[in-house]
């Protein structure tokens, strides 16, 4: 019998996963009906007809806010072990509260670093949205302005 090492097991899982993927896609291609229509070929955009191109520019601030959100969301990952240690009465009793004090100090240091980051981002104005300046329309109507008085 052949002995498989650690990397061999990983290789088997990769090959098995790729094989499963290829077999699934092949069976789907064989079984699905092919009936393309003009409506099926259109782009779906939340139930609305798409307008413009897909290459629209987004404000960079969306990405900055998303990155800041991810930073503060990661805080939960680091606070979970603190809650586990703080909630374990046996561990706290065994060490005369040393782990409890250590975890409290560690948590306050961590939250302090996050607050410093928030103050930095706020002070740099990264949370402020750039408001567009309204532009007056340059359209010149052939209808005189007095004609609109009837509709007021």
């Amino acid at each position: 019998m052949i002995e498989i090492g650690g990397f061999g097991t990983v290789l088997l899982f990769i090959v098995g996963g790729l094989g499963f993927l290829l077999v699934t896609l092949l069976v789907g291609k064989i079984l699905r009906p092919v009936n393309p229509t003009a409506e099926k070929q259109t782009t779906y955009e939340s139930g609305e007809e798409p307008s413009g191109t897909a290459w629209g520019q987004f404000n960079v601030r969306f990405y900055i806010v998303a990155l800041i959100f991810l930073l503060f969301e990661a805080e939960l990952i680091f606070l979970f072990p603190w809650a586990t240690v703080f909630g374990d009465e046996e561990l706290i009793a065994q060490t005369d509260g040393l782990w409890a004090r250590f975890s409290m100090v560690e948590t306050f240091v961590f939250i302090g670093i996050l607050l410093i980051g928030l103050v930095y981002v706020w002070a740099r104005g990264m949370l402020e949205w750039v408001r567009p300046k309204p532009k007056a329309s340059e359209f010149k109507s052939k209808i005189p302005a007095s004609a609109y008085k009837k509709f007021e």
Side-chain angles (χ1 to χ4, degrees):
M1 194 150 171
I2 298 174
E3 185 77 23
I4 299 176
F7 288 115
T9 305
V10 172
L11 181 63
L12 281 176
F13 270 101
I14 291 172
V15 169
L18 288 174
F20 180 74
L21 176 71
L22 291 175
V23 167
T24 305
L25 289 174
L26 182 66
V27 168
K29 185 170 180 76
I30 292 170
L31 295 179
R32 74 174 173 244
V34 179
N35 187 14
T37 63
E39 189 169 344
K40 288 181 182 178
Q41 299 294 332
T42 60
T43 306
Y44 180 75
E45 190 174 297
S46 302
E48 299 291 325
E49 288 293 323
S51 61
T53 66
W55 293 99
Q57 290 185 339
F58 287 99
N59 193 336
V60 175
R61 300 204 182 261
F62 283 115
Y63 300 110
I64 292 172
V65 169
L67 287 173
I68 293 168
F69 171 76
L70 288 176
L71 267 171
F72 286 99
E73 191 66 22
E75 172 186 2
L76 293 175
I77 294 170
F78 291 107
L79 289 179
F80 180 73
W82 168 78
T84 304
V85 168
F86 215 50
D88 190 0
E89 294 177 13
E90 292 178 16
L91 181 62
I92 293 172
Q94 288 175 357
T95 59
D96 292 331
L98 176 66
W99 277 110
R101 287 191 298 274
F102 176 74
S103 65
M104 281 298 285
V105 169
E106 181 183 19
T107 300
F108 283 125
V109 167
F110 179 70
I111 291 175
I113 291 171
L114 285 176
L115 285 175
I116 289 170
L118 178 63
V119 168
Y120 174 77
V121 167
W122 201 327
R124 297 273 314 227
M126 292 180 183
L127 299 177
E128 303 278 331
W129 289 97
V130 177
R131 290 184 171 75
K133 296 177 182 171
K135 286 194 255 181
S137 175
E138 297 176 8
F139 177 73
K140 301 293 182 197
S141 175
K142 295 178 183 177
I143 301 172
S146 60
Y148 292 106
K149 299 281 186 201
K150 292 190 276 184
F151 297 108
E152 290 180 359

